Amino acid sequence: MENIHHKQSFWSKYIFSTDHKTIGTQYMIMGMIMAGVGGYLAYVFRYNLAFPGKSIPFYGMLGPQAYNAFVTIHGMIMVFWVGMPVLLSAFGNYLIPLMIGSDDMAFPTVNMLSFWIFAVSALVLLASFFVPGGAFGGGWTMYPPFSAQGYVNLNPNFFQALFSGTSLLILAVALELVAMLMGGINFLVTTINKRAKGMTAWRIPIIIWFINIAAVIFMFSVGPLVAGAFMLLFDNILGTGFYDPHRGGDPMLWEHLFWFFGHPEVYVLLLPSLGVLAEILPVFSRKPLFAYKTIIYLALASAFLSVLVWAHHQFVAGIDPRMATFFSIGTILISIPFAGIFLAFMATLWGGSIRMKVPMLWAIGFIGLFLVGGLTGLFLGSNTFDIYAHDTYFVVAHFHYTLFPDIFFGFFAAFYYWFPKFSGKELNASLGKLHFWLTFIFFNGVFFLLFFNGLAGQHRRINDYSSFSLISKEPYQTFEQIATVCAIGLMLTQFIFLYNFISSLRKTKKAVKNPWEATTLEWVADSPPPHGNFNPYPEVYRGAYDYSLPDVEDDFTPQNIPKV
Amino acid sequence: MTIFPENVSTYGQDIDNLFWLILVFASIAFVISLFVLLYPLIKYSSKKVKRAEYITGEKRKHFKWITIALLLLLGSDFVILYVEHDTWGTIESVPAKADVHVGIIARQWNWIFVYPGPDGVLGTSDDVYVDEMNSSLHVPVNENIVFELRSQDVIHSFFLANARLKQDALPGRTVMRWFNITKPGKYDISCTQICGILHSKMRNYVLAETLEQYKQFTDSLYNANKPAVSINK
Amino acid sequence: METKQHHLTIPVIKIPQGRLAMWVLIAGELVIFGGLICFYLLNRIRYPHWGEMAAHTNTFIGALNTVVLLLSSYTIVRAHQAAIKLNAAKARLWMTCTLLGGVMFLVDKSIEYAHEISEGFTFTSPKLVAAGDHVGSLFWSYYYIMTGLHGAHVLAGMTAIFIVMMQIRKGNNLHRVELVGMYWHMVDLIWIFLFPLLYIAK
């Protein structure tokens, strides 16, 4: 059974490609560019926090409106235009067909369209900076009535309201969600229908399971937000009163449907990276993944629980205190299945033969940092303590200790791991180690001290703390400066990665097909895999983690090796 | 450097104690987890161990460690939930003995304080609205201050760090909360929900004073504000 | 164009790809409309006044549209049956009937909207707002967004049916008739929920 290689023009090969690998790469590059934008925004406001009132190099003077806009769009970008495209779209697109032994996604054209809709959404988002009034500055959470004032403020010019920062942001998010929904359908149908012969459900690698569970969570939880986003848009451009209490509407409705999506969304972002860990840890321990089936059941339990805990973001919002108790219980208990998954990951290491290569460094670093993030979640899940900690830098530090390892350490672990497959070249390991250690140290330098600022009562989204006596004294101002210096260091460190990436692509030395000696199917394909991926298509005879089988000499047995 | 700002409220200590309790659990979990994560990297390094063991984790004797850890976590979760519950009920419901009623109205970009007037009842025609930048809400110490929190425009949030109290102010609803300050002083009020361009400038205070000082203040305030100010929402 | 790998893969759940994708799409759409319907219900319970507002919807046209959609679901089922028998011409005939049903639905809707707009019940209902009836105006905002979004889906479904009609002219791609049929049933199903909420419960 041969591939049908057909002649492709430049446009159909690189720009409007329907090949999942190209589309995955496009998502990754777009995500990296947006990470640069989001990082720049963070640099500007962090500089302002450390040295208030000073002109910021490579920006200028930062006024309060711009400050609010920058913190808002920084958050929006990192969740929707970096986390989602890189962890879900790039990983999913690139890995699913390769790891299930298929030629491509089920719907390649829809796949291609989804990327271009995503690209347009990014443009709409960036355009929002340049319209009159500038980008929206009310937090990535976009709470009305503040976010619904477009009509009131620009009444009654429809086009002014439509091309305002607020409306453009809503449109950008809507387009991005549509792109992700299209991708999600593709992932699910491909994984269910296009697996190689012999790949039963319990032989599917964890990352594929997790990406699909994430897609299901996403599609279920985003529905009410899509409806609600239309309503917010119409409040802005047409003057409806869905969220206006003077018109019978209710701002609390938005809070509920935003967080009904927003909380599962963080697990949508987390699961693919956990999947990356699940692939890397066995390879570099030469040992099967510990409790594979249990991990899947725990992930399903977490997915189910994740849609029941959203109002822990609203403990002080004025919800019924009894409802808050319910959500506090759920939030604190959801730590159990996730702890179970992490414990199983760590158990994989015990009794192994550990190779501390660069992907493993990132994986271990991920777990260590995520532990801090996850455990600080316990503080916030307690409704009583959250009364104090809500909207302080304690929260900011908490979610950076979860999201940054998730998005960045997860991405880098995956990148260093799969780079030989996707490019056919090898990355420089020494630069990789330097990149890891500097990122790790600088990241902690930015965010660890901010826990203390938060506990001291420093509230969020403030551009100037000079009138708040609790914060504007030492050592908190010094902590701000340390955080900013480390943030700059963190960003500059990424140039090491970029240099490594680009210079490695230009090397002539080719990587071997399976440099890490892994068992999953993508390592059977050539490096890089051609259009159609496999020739011939593999057949699967065993699970994904057959390392160090007792009666086999090799310490790994790929999935496509028959049982004797 | 102290971790928390000074606590001057009756229920604030409970919140601080809850923090330390969770910190104990979290720290123990963190140290144990770091050990479980990092120790094998040394003990089972490929330089020392040439061949890994074939452990799938399906066997009970291997899995039991995870079960034990999860049960311990579950136990600490229940302790946290039990300890927090009482304090949550205390803060979120208004005490039976309400000594002073005030109104707090948030607007872009200042906190408005509503004093109940000589009749001591909010919502009547002798209420006095004080809407000045950087003003202080005068309250007597050691009294239960019950306040009605509202917003005129967008969502704001009332944060009194020294009392460990925070409550969002939503337009279209009135939320009642309370505090009881135990020590005279001037304490920061911050707005903890981004509300626009001057969100950073919403800066007011609670001024807790002795009962005599408080009466002096309200007397002069009410005298200066006869006849009644019309109620504007 | 793409490598046809179907003969090499064994779907464990024996649902063909298009159908599976359509189920997933339908599930996503149902959550969106489900959300809207929940918000409507919450407000409806909160504001008894909405019952008075709902009295101004035209139950006759609403019922007529319900019958029209149900009939058009029947015709698309017949189209699917014809497609199974590989009779493209007959399938196209039945699909035309479905399109006519869609057209009638939209025409009825336009008449209905025109009447309601002339009475001052618009998306933002400025007349009601000016008269101080804010809560009433909110009812109409929900009415228009729910029926409007549904109407947009009717139009999208009609477009898809038309496109598939063109694609099956030569007898190819007949499996797509079932797919647009499924989508059309979803549109019908959503209406079955909207109708009692907006037209009957007064």
Side-chain angles (χ1 to χ4, degrees):
Chain A
M1 307 294 174
E2 298 283 306
N3 286 338
I4 306 162
H5 289 286
H6 47 272
K7 188 100 175 47
Q8 292 177 295
S9 68
F10 172 80
W11 288 99
S12 69
K13 195 169 178 195
Y14 292 111
I15 308 294
F16 296 109
S17 170
T18 56
D19 185 306
H20 70 100
K21 300 181 289 296
T22 312
I23 295 172
T25 309
Q26 288 173 319
Y27 270 114
M28 182 186 77
I29 293 184
M30 192 91 216
M32 285 165 70
I33 294 173
M34 293 303 274
V37 175
Y40 171 73
L41 296 175
Y43 155 73
V44 171
F45 65 71
R46 270 250 54 95
Y47 197 99
N48 182 69
L49 285 168
F51 309 109
K54 299 276 191 301
S55 173
I56 300 166
F58 302 107
Y59 180 77
M61 290 299 294
L62 185 69
Q65 179 59 37
Y67 179 92
N68 289 353
F70 280 27
V71 298
T72 301
I73 305 295
H74 165 80
M76 276 291 188
I77 286 182
M78 290 307 186
V79 172
F80 290 113
W81 281 275
V82 178
M84 293 294 282
V86 167
L87 297 177
L88 216 50
S89 308
F91 287 179
N93 268 305
Y94 199 82
L95 295 172
I96 293 179
L98 281 171
M99 291 178 90
I100 64 174
S102 163
D103 63 331
D104 206 312
M105 286 291 194
F107 305 107
T109 312
V110 169
N111 208 10
M112 182 267 290
L113 281 173
S114 83
F115 172 72
W116 286 106
I117 294 176
F118 175 79
V120 168
S121 79
L123 288 175
V124 173
L125 175 79
L126 294 174
S128 75
F129 276 107
F130 301 106
V131 293
F136 177 68
W140 86 288
T141 44
M142 300 197 77
Y143 283 178
F146 186 65
S147 62
Q149 288 182 327
Y151 189 78
V152 168
N153 290 338
L154 298 167
N155 177 35
N157 186 321
F158 174 79
F159 286 103
Q160 276 183 318
L162 184 60
F163 292 105
S164 66
T166 314
S167 302
L168 288 180
L169 179 58
I170 300 173
L171 284 169
V173 174
L175 283 171
E176 192 269 357
L177 293 178
V178 166
M180 292 296 143
L181 280 169
M182 290 166 77
I185 298 179
N186 234 335
F187 292 173
L188 283 167
V189 175
T190 306
T191 307
I192 293 174
N193 261 6
K194 289 193 67 146
R195 279 172 273 150
K197 189 156 176 243
M199 184 167 273
T200 59
W202 296 129
R203 290 176 178 172
I204 300 176
I206 290 273
I207 190 173
I208 307 299
W209 267 103
F210 278 15
I211 290 178
N212 282 287
I213 296 175
V216 172
I217 300 174
F218 175 75
M219 295 170 78
F220 175 70
S221 63
V222 88
L225 182 64
V226 171
F230 272 116
M231 289 154 60
L232 187 65
L233 185 65
F234 289 130
D235 271 14
N236 265 294
I237 63 179
L238 288 177
T240 50
F242 290 110
Y243 302 110
D244 182 354
H246 302 300
R247 300 274 298 277
D250 190 357
M252 184 69 90
L253 177 63
W254 171 266
E255 289 195 32
H256 280 296
L257 53 89
F258 180 86
W259 288 116
F260 180 77
F261 164 73
H263 189 77
E265 166 69 0
V266 309
Y267 298 126
V268 171
L269 289 171
L270 179 63
L271 283 172
S273 280
L274 289 184
V276 172
L277 292 181
E279 299 313 314
I280 288 180
L281 292 172
V283 175
F284 295 92
S285 311
R286 314 311 293 162
K287 192 168 159 276
L289 183 68
F290 192 90
Y292 164 86
K293 263 194 199 171
T294 308
I295 288 177
I296 293 175
Y297 290 134
L298 288 172
L300 289 168
S302 311
F304 173 71
L305 281 176
S306 74
V307 295
L308 296 177
V309 300
W310 78 88
H312 64 239
H313 299 269
Q314 297 162 264
F315 281 146
V316 294
I319 60 176
D320 187 322
R322 294 162 296 184
M323 188 160 80
T325 302
F326 168 76
F327 283 105
S328 182
I329 295 174
T331 305
I332 295 211
L333 290 181
I334 205 174
S335 58
I336 309 272
F338 279 109
I341 295 176
F342 275 98
L343 286 168
F345 284 175
M346 294 194 281
T348 306
L349 302 168
W350 285 72
S353 166
I354 314 252
R355 302 173 174 178
M356 285 307 289
K357 302 288 180 188
V358 177
M360 191 61 157
L361 274 178
W362 289 101
I364 303 293
F366 180 140
I367 299 178
L369 294 176
F370 196 88
L371 272 174
V372 176
L375 289 170
T376 49
L378 276 180
F379 295 88
L380 297 169
S382 157
N383 48 17
T384 310
F385 187 69
D386 187 63
I387 296 177
Y388 182 71
H390 173 79
D391 207 86
T392 64
Y393 268 81
F394 190 88
V395 177
V396 176
H398 157 74
F399 67 68
H400 281 91
Y401 263 94
T402 47
L403 285 174
F404 190 95
D406 172 21
I407 298 177
F408 288 91
F409 280 66
F411 169 66
F412 288 129
F415 189 90
Y416 281 92
Y417 179 59
W418 276 295
F419 182 81
K421 180 53 58 186
F422 115 99
S423 70
K425 306 281 165 65
E426 279 173 32
L427 285 168
N428 182 308
S430 307
L431 284 180
K433 287 181 187 158
L434 182 65
H435 176 213
F436 168 76
W437 284 111
L438 286 178
T439 303
F440 182 84
I441 293 168
F442 281 132
F443 168 78
N444 281 298
V446 180
F447 291 104
F448 190 71
L449 296 170
L450 294 181
F451 279 120
F452 295 100
N453 279 40
L455 291 175
Q458 179 175 10
H459 50 312
R460 294 171 65 180
R461 298 164 170 170
I462 298 287
N463 72 307
D464 175 10
Y465 287 98
S466 55
S467 45
F468 295 97
S469 58
L470 292 173
I471 315 304
S472 50
K473 60 182 185 193
E474 292 304 336
Y476 303 109
Q477 195 51 32
T478 304
F479 287 176
E480 293 278 10
Q481 289 166 345
I482 295 175
T484 297
V485 170
C486 288
I488 295 174
L490 182 62
M491 290 178 223
L492 292 176
T493 302
Q494 307 316 310
F495 286 103
I496 301 177
F497 165 73
L498 282 176
Y499 169 76
N500 198 356
F501 179 12
I502 295 172
S503 65
S504 300
L505 282 176
R506 301 169 75 204
K507 283 186 206 164
T508 45
K509 180 180 175 209
K510 293 204 75 185
V512 299
K513 213 175 188 183
N514 191 353
W516 312 117
E517 297 183 315
T519 57
T520 40
L521 286 183
E522 74 275 25
W523 301 102
V524 172
D526 286 338
S527 301
H531 192 52
N533 294 339
F534 299 97
N535 189 7
Y537 287 95
E539 230 179 277
V540 170
Y541 299 93
R542 56 185 70 240
Y545 305 105
D546 271 0
Y547 291 94
S548 303
L549 282 174
D551 40 358
V552 174
E553 195 192 324
D554 281 340
D555 71 350
F556 75 107
T557 313
Q559 286 190 274
N560 61 334
I561 303 295
K563 294 193 166 140
V564 282
Chain B
M1 181 189 105
T2 55
I3 299 287
F4 292 109
E6 186 189 10
N7 168 47
V8 295
S9 100
T10 49
Y11 48 67
Q13 192 57 49
D14 289 337
I15 291 188
D16 290 1
N17 291 343
L18 181 60
F19 171 80
W20 296 114
L21 174 70
I22 301 177
L23 186 64
V24 165
F25 286 136
S27 308
I28 296 174
F30 184 64
V31 168
I32 295 178
S33 303
L34 271 190
F35 172 78
V36 173
L37 177 68
L38 298 175
Y39 182 66
L41 304 181
I42 308 167
K43 179 165 182 198
Y44 298 104
S45 157
S46 57
K47 297 188 181 67
K48 292 193 198 126
V49 177
K50 291 298 167 202
R51 179 89 178 187
E53 289 174 59
Y54 183 73
I55 300 174
T56 60
E58 310 286 342
K59 287 213 181 74
R60 210 200 213 143
K61 71 170 180 178
H62 296 126
F63 197 82
K64 69 171 185 226
W65 293 109
I66 296 190
T67 313
I68 294 173
L70 290 180
L71 285 172
L72 286 173
L73 182 60
L74 189 64
S76 31
D77 283 352
F78 277 122
V79 172
I80 296 172
L81 288 170
Y82 177 74
V83 169
E84 78 177 15
H85 185 68
D86 241 2
T87 315
W88 176 252
T90 305
I91 300 176
E92 295 288 301
S93 56
V94 169
K97 178 175 171 289
D99 302 308
V100 176
H101 288 273
V102 290
I104 300 178
I105 303 178
R107 69 163 178 85
Q108 288 171 314
W109 289 280
N110 191 33
W111 292 98
I112 303 172
F113 302 123
V114 188
Y115 295 91
D119 67 352
V121 178
L122 264 184
T124 53
S125 56
D126 64 354
D127 291 358
V128 177
Y129 286 67
V130 177
D131 185 356
E132 286 156 22
M133 297 302 294
N134 309 127
S135 62
S136 293
L137 171 66
H138 290 249
V139 297
V141 289
N142 298 314
E143 305 276 313
N144 289 340
I145 316 295
V146 175
F147 61 93
E148 294 181 8
L149 186 62
R150 294 193 182 86
S151 166
Q152 277 185 352
D153 35 50
V154 299
I155 302 181
H156 299 267
S157 184
F158 177 83
F159 181 39
L160 191 56
N162 296 94
R164 311 289 187 262
L165 175 65
K166 184 181 288 111
Q167 182 57 47
D168 283 4
L170 266 69
R173 27 177 103 196
T174 305
V175 181
M176 289 181 55
R177 291 284 182 264
W178 70 285
F179 56 87
N180 184 325
I181 310 278
T182 55
K183 180 179 163 192
K186 195 172 180 190
Y187 306 109
D188 289 359
I189 297 175
S190 325
C191 174
T192 46
Q193 181 59 42
I194 188 167
C195 54
I197 193 171
L198 292 180
H199 170 58
S200 310
K201 295 289 183 231
M202 272 182 80
R203 150 20 113 257
N204 297 71
Y205 307 88
V206 164
L207 184 62
E209 46 195 8
T210 62
L211 204 49
E212 297 80 49
Q213 290 168 318
Y214 175 70
K215 280 215 161 51
Q216 266 181 334
F217 166 77
T218 48
D219 283 343
S220 64
L221 181 71
Y222 296 151
N223 284 333
N225 281 280
K226 295 193 263 204
V229 179
S230 65
I231 294 174
N232 54 313
K233 286 218 134 183
Chain C
M1 248 199 9
E2 301 302 319
T3 312
K4 290 289 179 283
Q5 203 204 343
H6 297 296
H7 56 291
L8 290 169
T9 56
I10 297 179
V12 175
I13 304 173
K14 290 180 176 50
I15 303 177
Q17 266 164 221
R19 215 184 283 171
L20 191 56
M22 188 52 70
W23 281 122
V24 178
L25 176 66
I26 288 175
E29 292 269 36
L30 287 179
V31 188
I32 296 175
F33 276 97
L36 259 185
I37 289 176
C38 279
F39 308 154
Y40 172 82
L41 276 173
L42 286 171
N43 278 303
R44 182 67 191 262
I45 295 170
R46 193 175 169 192
Y47 298 125
H49 179 49
W50 276 26
E52 293 157 34
M53 284 291 128
H56 292 278
T57 58
N58 190 324
T59 311
F60 172 71
I61 295 189
L64 179 63
N65 270 345
T66 309
V67 170
V68 165
L69 275 186
L70 282 170
L71 280 176
S72 68
S73 272
Y74 169 72
T75 55
I76 199 88
V77 166
R78 294 300 302 264
H80 177 218
Q81 287 176 334
I84 291 176
K85 297 202 182 82
L86 301 180
N87 189 339
K90 213 170 184 190
R92 294 182 71 207
L93 191 62
W94 284 113
M95 286 163 89
T96 310
C97 293
T98 310
L99 284 182
L100 286 175
V103 167
M104 184 161 178
F105 179 89
L106 292 175
V107 166
D108 288 345
K109 201 112 212 85
S110 313
I111 296 173
E112 193 188 4
Y113 277 177
H115 183 69
E116 282 152 358
I117 290 170
S118 71
E119 287 190 352
F121 300 127
T122 63
F123 197 23
T124 52
S125 298
K127 282 203 200 129
L128 284 176
V129 174
D133 186 5
H134 300 288
V135 169
S137 80
L138 189 67
F139 170 84
W140 291 104
S141 300
Y142 270 96
Y143 170 82
Y144 280 106
I145 202 173
M146 288 162 79
T147 56
L149 205 57
H150 175 260
H153 281 77
V154 169
L155 199 55
M158 286 167 64
T159 312
I161 290 175
F162 182 73
I163 292 175
V164 171
M165 274 176 70
M166 293 300 112
Q167 286 179 336
I168 62 173
R169 259 176 312 181
K170 296 206 180 77
N172 305 329
N173 293 317
L174 281 166
H175 61 281
R176 291 184 180 169
V177 177
E178 181 194 13
L179 300 181
V180 289
M182 287 167 72
Y183 184 83
W184 193 255
H185 292 318
M186 174 198 82
V187 166
D188 194 4
L189 177 68
I190 293 172
W191 180 258
I192 304 284
F193 276 89
L194 291 185
F195 175 61
L197 286 176
L198 294 173
Y199 292 88
I200 299 188
K202 308 257 187 207

